[in-house]
Amino acid sequence: MARATAAALVSAGVRVAILDRPESKGAEVASELGQDTTFHPCDVRDPVGTEEALATAVDALGAIHIAVNTAGGGLSRRTVTKDGPMDLDFFADIIALNLIATFNLNRLQAWQMSKNEPDADDERGVIINTASIAAFEGQIGQVAYSAAKGGLVSMTLTMARDLGTLGIRVLTIAPSLFMTGLTERIPDEMAQGLLRHAAFPRRPGRPDEYAKLALAIVENPMLNGTTFRLDGGTRFSPK
């Protein structure tokens, strides 16, 4: 989804900086996209390294006006099993990756945006975060993931209100099952089970469909403080 959004932004004439893990394909993607697209390696769970990478990205771009945050993920584990309660570190790690790391990026991105000159609509920037429909209908074993993604949804309006006087918008996209590097490992039978309650289309979402929504958000200044479900009418069943 990040790659598709970066490509869409470049096609729209936007200069892009990619932040991803050192072992990712970030450098390769930046080279493919061209137009001065840069890659800045970091692990978003490392707040110091992330701040340094973002500062380098801002130096490369000159400023930051659009931030699209897609980092996240996590395994499933029930609150209690026959072996005992969920390991607390497991829960904390999921929260750290999906919620705390995103908030850290948001606060740093917003600070940089606050230095921008406002445009004709008095806007200085827009932040787009990525949750999941698991924030609303988490399945069995997704308690940690649902809590993290629900946190992103819950902070969207509040952060938009926090940053409104600065001319910075904050929105969240909550996808259903999408074709990403993570979901490629999901067996077809399981994927079909997740999609059986979709209205239409009954297939995984495509990264370009995420990118189209992200660009629509960027282009429409009246969109703010809300979460958009991107799910084809899907509602996850308990399992």
Side-chain angles (χ1 to χ4, degrees):
M1 293 186 291
R3 180 175 186 159
T5 305
L9 288 168
V10 168
S11 295
V14 178
R15 295 179 62 206
V16 172
I18 299 170
L19 276 67
D20 205 343
R21 293 171 299 174
E23 66 274 17
S24 73
K25 295 182 179 180
E28 176 185 328
V29 173
S31 177
E32 290 176 359
L33 294 178
Q35 291 193 10
D36 299 322
T37 303
T38 55
F39 171 61
H40 308 272
C42 69
D43 184 333
V44 294
R45 294 168 295 186
D46 171 14
V48 175
T50 298
E51 185 167 6
E52 292 173 350
L54 186 63
T56 303
V58 172
D59 287 342
L61 296 173
I64 178 172
H65 294 85
I66 303 166
V68 182
N69 302 295
T70 62
L75 301 174
S76 294
R77 192 170 297 178
R78 294 188 184 221
T79 306
V80 173
T81 68
K82 63 181 181 180
D83 298 319
M86 179 191 295
D87 181 76
L88 191 57
D89 287 340
F90 174 86
F91 185 90
D93 287 345
I94 299 294
I95 298 296
L97 171 60
N98 291 277
L99 180 57
I100 297 175
T102 298
F103 175 75
N104 183 47
L105 282 163
N106 288 175
R107 72 183 185 94
L108 298 172
Q109 291 158 350
W111 170 244
Q112 295 292 342
M113 290 176 180
S114 72
K115 304 174 187 179
N116 296 337
E117 288 295 322
D119 65 13
D121 288 318
D122 290 326
E123 181 173 308
R124 288 186 168 89
V126 56
I127 295 171
I128 302 173
N129 292 324
T130 307
S132 164
I133 64 170
F136 311 105
E137 303 107 26
Q139 296 188 298
I140 290 171
Q142 287 189 321
V143 62
Y145 185 71
S146 294
K149 293 304 188 181
L152 292 179
V153 171
S154 294
M155 76 181 188
T156 302
L157 176 59
T158 307
M159 189 181 294
R161 288 171 167 171
D162 274 357
L163 302 177
T165 56
L166 298 173
I168 299 171
R169 297 186 288 128
V170 183
L171 298 103
T172 297
I173 299 174
S176 57
L177 184 66
F178 263 63
M179 293 185 291
T180 67
L182 181 65
T183 59
E184 285 177 353
R185 299 192 292 271
I186 296 178
D188 289 342
E189 183 178 349
M190 181 181 295
Q192 289 305 312
L194 291 171
L195 295 167
R196 68 180 181 273
H197 295 298
F200 178 83
R202 290 187 176 179
R203 59 164 173 79
R206 295 190 297 260
D208 68 287
E209 291 167 330
Y210 177 99
K212 288 176 182 177
L213 178 54
L215 261 65
I217 289 171
V218 170
E219 292 170 352
N220 192 331
M222 277 300 289
L223 299 179
N224 194 17
T226 195
T227 296
F228 294 96
R229 294 183 65 123
L230 189 60
D231 61 13
T234 301
R235 298 296 183 269
F236 283 159
S237 60
K239 61 180 179 180

